Amino acid sequence: MTKFSFSRHLMIGLAMLSPFSVSAQPVESPPAAQSRTFWVNPYNDVKVEIADCSGKLCGWVAWATPEADQEARDGGTPKLVGTELLQDYKPTGPNSWQGRVFVPDMGRTFYSTIALVQPDTLKISGCIMGGLICKSQVWHRA
């Protein structure tokens, strides 16, 4: 088992429990944006570029290890780099957003929240049942 796996570390069990999750198609290239930051997952095997996309927050994979890429392929995502993971996040308060997170190794999208807990630390949660059951990861600025 590699360290990557969103499904094992962030979303374990959500696919079996969620009647509300939807499938998503990864995008091939990121949208143009003015302000971009890079964040890494807790296992340092995926780097995500986050930017403002037409007034919403979005993020796509900018770099991944070969192992992370293979797990994504095994889950039905043909190419991890360039795939939009963070989709349509709207502000919900100071330093917090809600939107959808695409989980590549599951090939599914879930309701999600993001909180900036420190200037260089994000807590990203993927949820089912309208946010009643969530799993989280802490990402750090690259």
Side-chain angles (χ1 to χ4, degrees):
M1 172 189 338
T2 66
K3 293 181 191 174
F4 170 65
S5 187
F6 276 83
S7 62
R8 286 188 210 112
H9 297 289
L10 176 60
M11 306 294 179
I12 192 160
L14 293 183
M16 295 182 296
L17 296 173
S18 177
F20 303 108
S21 62
V22 295
S23 295
Q25 296 297 319
V27 295
E28 286 300 316
S29 60
Q34 298 291 331
S35 176
R36 297 171 188 247
T37 58
F38 291 87
W39 299 82
V40 294
N41 71 349
Y43 311 102
N44 294 313
D45 58 0
V46 174
K47 184 186 290 185
V48 175
E49 186 172 356
I50 297 177
D52 179 284
C53 299
S54 302
K56 297 178 184 173
L57 196 68
C58 63
W60 54 93
V61 178
W63 172 87
T65 64
E67 295 82 8
D69 194 51
Q70 182 60 51
E71 280 201 30
R73 278 195 305 276
D74 291 346
T77 303
K79 182 180 173 197
L80 187 55
V81 173
T83 297
E84 186 177 18
L85 299 184
L86 307 176
Q87 305 168 359
D88 299 321
Y89 283 82
K90 299 174 188 168
T92 58
N95 299 320
S96 62
W97 299 263
Q98 74 179 29
R100 296 169 302 160
V101 61
F102 175 68
V103 181
D105 55 332
M106 294 175 75
R108 302 194 61 181
T109 302
F110 298 93
Y111 168 83
S112 175
T113 60
I114 297 176
L116 182 67
V117 293
Q118 295 179 6
D120 293 329
T121 306
L122 289 177
K123 180 180 176 184
I124 300 178
S125 301
C127 308
I128 61 170
M129 299 176 65
L132 294 177
I133 300 173
C134 301
K135 298 289 181 177
S136 300
Q137 281 186 346
V138 175
W139 292 7
H140 296 281
R141 193 181 302 267

